Short mmCIF file of all heavy atoms in Angstrom, two decimals:
data_model
loop_
_atom_site.label_atom_id
_atom_site.label_comp_id
_atom_site.label_asym_id
_atom_site.label_seq_id
_atom_site.Cartn_x
_atom_site.Cartn_y
_atom_site.Cartn_z
N GLU A 18 101.05 38.04 144.44
CA GLU A 18 101.59 38.83 145.57
C GLU A 18 100.55 38.97 146.62
O GLU A 18 100.91 38.89 147.86
CB GLU A 18 102.10 40.20 145.13
CG GLU A 18 103.27 40.10 144.14
CD GLU A 18 103.69 41.47 143.70
OE1 GLU A 18 103.13 42.41 144.23
OE2 GLU A 18 104.56 41.56 142.87
N ILE A 19 99.25 39.20 146.27
CA ILE A 19 98.24 39.39 147.28
C ILE A 19 97.96 37.98 147.96
O ILE A 19 97.71 37.93 149.12
CB ILE A 19 96.96 39.90 146.60
CG1 ILE A 19 97.21 41.26 146.04
CG2 ILE A 19 95.80 39.98 147.68
CD1 ILE A 19 96.09 41.93 145.34
N ILE A 20 97.99 36.92 147.18
CA ILE A 20 97.82 35.60 147.77
C ILE A 20 98.84 35.31 148.92
O ILE A 20 98.60 34.86 150.00
CB ILE A 20 97.91 34.45 146.69
CG1 ILE A 20 96.70 34.67 145.78
CG2 ILE A 20 97.88 33.11 147.32
CD1 ILE A 20 96.87 33.80 144.48
N GLU A 21 100.15 35.60 148.60
CA GLU A 21 101.22 35.39 149.55
C GLU A 21 101.02 36.32 150.80
O GLU A 21 101.35 35.92 151.88
CB GLU A 21 102.59 35.61 148.88
CG GLU A 21 102.87 34.51 147.91
CD GLU A 21 102.86 33.17 148.44
OE1 GLU A 21 103.37 33.00 149.55
OE2 GLU A 21 102.38 32.27 147.76
N GLU A 22 100.56 37.57 150.49
CA GLU A 22 100.36 38.50 151.62
C GLU A 22 99.23 37.96 152.59
O GLU A 22 99.40 38.09 153.72
CB GLU A 22 100.00 39.86 151.10
CG GLU A 22 99.80 40.94 152.08
CD GLU A 22 101.02 41.28 152.85
OE1 GLU A 22 102.10 41.01 152.42
OE2 GLU A 22 100.93 41.79 154.07
N VAL A 23 98.21 37.41 151.96
CA VAL A 23 97.07 36.86 152.78
C VAL A 23 97.59 35.72 153.60
O VAL A 23 97.32 35.57 154.80
CB VAL A 23 95.88 36.34 151.89
CG1 VAL A 23 94.90 35.61 152.69
CG2 VAL A 23 95.25 37.58 151.25
N ARG A 24 98.43 34.80 153.00
CA ARG A 24 99.04 33.65 153.73
C ARG A 24 99.86 34.15 154.91
O ARG A 24 99.86 33.66 156.03
CB ARG A 24 99.75 32.75 152.84
CG ARG A 24 98.96 31.93 151.84
CD ARG A 24 99.80 30.71 151.34
NE ARG A 24 99.04 29.92 150.54
CZ ARG A 24 99.07 29.85 149.23
NH1 ARG A 24 99.91 30.62 148.53
NH2 ARG A 24 98.34 29.02 148.52
N LYS A 25 100.67 35.20 154.65
CA LYS A 25 101.66 35.72 155.58
C LYS A 25 100.86 36.32 156.81
O LYS A 25 101.21 36.04 157.94
CB LYS A 25 102.53 36.84 154.92
CG LYS A 25 103.65 37.33 155.82
CD LYS A 25 104.31 38.46 155.18
CE LYS A 25 104.85 38.15 153.82
NZ LYS A 25 105.56 39.34 153.16
N ARG A 26 99.77 36.95 156.46
CA ARG A 26 99.09 37.64 157.62
C ARG A 26 98.25 36.63 158.42
O ARG A 26 98.16 36.75 159.62
CB ARG A 26 98.13 38.69 157.09
CG ARG A 26 98.80 39.87 156.38
CD ARG A 26 97.85 41.03 156.16
NE ARG A 26 98.58 42.11 155.40
CZ ARG A 26 98.04 43.34 155.23
NH1 ARG A 26 96.88 43.66 155.76
NH2 ARG A 26 98.74 44.22 154.56
N LEU A 27 97.80 35.60 157.81
CA LEU A 27 97.10 34.51 158.49
C LEU A 27 98.08 33.71 159.37
O LEU A 27 97.77 33.37 160.54
CB LEU A 27 96.40 33.54 157.52
CG LEU A 27 95.10 34.12 156.79
CD1 LEU A 27 94.64 33.11 155.77
CD2 LEU A 27 94.01 34.43 157.76
N ASN A 28 99.26 33.41 158.88
CA ASN A 28 100.21 32.73 159.70
C ASN A 28 100.76 33.55 160.80
O ASN A 28 101.30 32.96 161.77
CB ASN A 28 101.38 32.24 158.80
CG ASN A 28 100.97 31.21 157.75
OD1 ASN A 28 100.08 30.34 158.06
ND2 ASN A 28 101.59 31.25 156.61
N ARG A 29 100.66 34.81 160.69
CA ARG A 29 101.17 35.77 161.70
C ARG A 29 100.23 35.90 162.88
O ARG A 29 100.62 36.38 164.01
CB ARG A 29 101.37 37.11 161.15
CG ARG A 29 102.40 38.03 161.86
CD ARG A 29 102.74 39.22 160.97
NE ARG A 29 101.54 39.97 160.54
CZ ARG A 29 101.51 40.74 159.47
NH1 ARG A 29 102.57 40.89 158.71
NH2 ARG A 29 100.50 41.41 159.11
N ILE A 30 98.99 35.34 162.79
CA ILE A 30 98.08 35.49 163.86
C ILE A 30 98.41 34.64 165.09
O ILE A 30 98.74 33.49 164.86
CB ILE A 30 96.62 35.11 163.34
CG1 ILE A 30 96.07 36.06 162.27
CG2 ILE A 30 95.60 34.99 164.54
CD1 ILE A 30 94.79 35.72 161.72
N ASN A 31 98.38 35.28 166.17
CA ASN A 31 98.71 34.55 167.44
C ASN A 31 97.63 34.89 168.51
O ASN A 31 97.61 35.92 169.18
CB ASN A 31 100.09 34.94 168.01
CG ASN A 31 100.47 34.19 169.20
OD1 ASN A 31 99.84 33.20 169.57
ND2 ASN A 31 101.48 34.71 169.96
N ILE A 32 96.63 33.96 168.59
CA ILE A 32 95.50 34.22 169.42
C ILE A 32 94.92 32.93 169.96
O ILE A 32 95.20 31.85 169.29
CB ILE A 32 94.34 34.99 168.62
CG1 ILE A 32 93.27 35.41 169.67
CG2 ILE A 32 93.81 34.12 167.56
CD1 ILE A 32 92.24 36.39 169.00
N ASP A 33 94.39 32.94 171.19
CA ASP A 33 93.93 31.63 171.74
C ASP A 33 92.76 31.00 171.02
O ASP A 33 92.72 29.78 170.89
CB ASP A 33 93.54 31.89 173.23
CG ASP A 33 94.73 32.20 174.08
OD1 ASP A 33 95.82 31.83 173.74
OD2 ASP A 33 94.60 32.81 175.10
N GLY A 34 91.85 31.81 170.48
CA GLY A 34 90.62 31.23 169.90
C GLY A 34 90.11 32.05 168.80
O GLY A 34 90.15 33.31 168.84
N ILE A 35 89.62 31.43 167.78
CA ILE A 35 88.85 32.05 166.64
C ILE A 35 87.40 31.48 166.63
O ILE A 35 87.27 30.30 166.34
CB ILE A 35 89.55 31.84 165.31
CG1 ILE A 35 90.91 32.49 165.25
CG2 ILE A 35 88.68 32.41 164.18
CD1 ILE A 35 90.94 33.96 165.28
N LEU A 36 86.43 32.25 166.98
CA LEU A 36 85.11 31.83 166.95
C LEU A 36 84.30 32.35 165.78
O LEU A 36 83.19 31.68 165.45
CB LEU A 36 84.31 32.36 168.24
CG LEU A 36 84.98 31.91 169.55
CD1 LEU A 36 84.23 32.47 170.71
CD2 LEU A 36 85.02 30.43 169.68
#
Side-chain angles (χ1 to χ4, degrees):
E18 293 182 3
I19 298 178
I20 296 170
E21 291 304 317
E22 182 66 23
V23 170
R24 286 201 178 104
K25 186 188 303 180
R26 294 193 186 192
L27 289 175
N28 292 327
R29 202 167 55 202
I30 293 175
N31 183 17
I32 190 172
D33 290 337
I35 297 292
L36 302 177

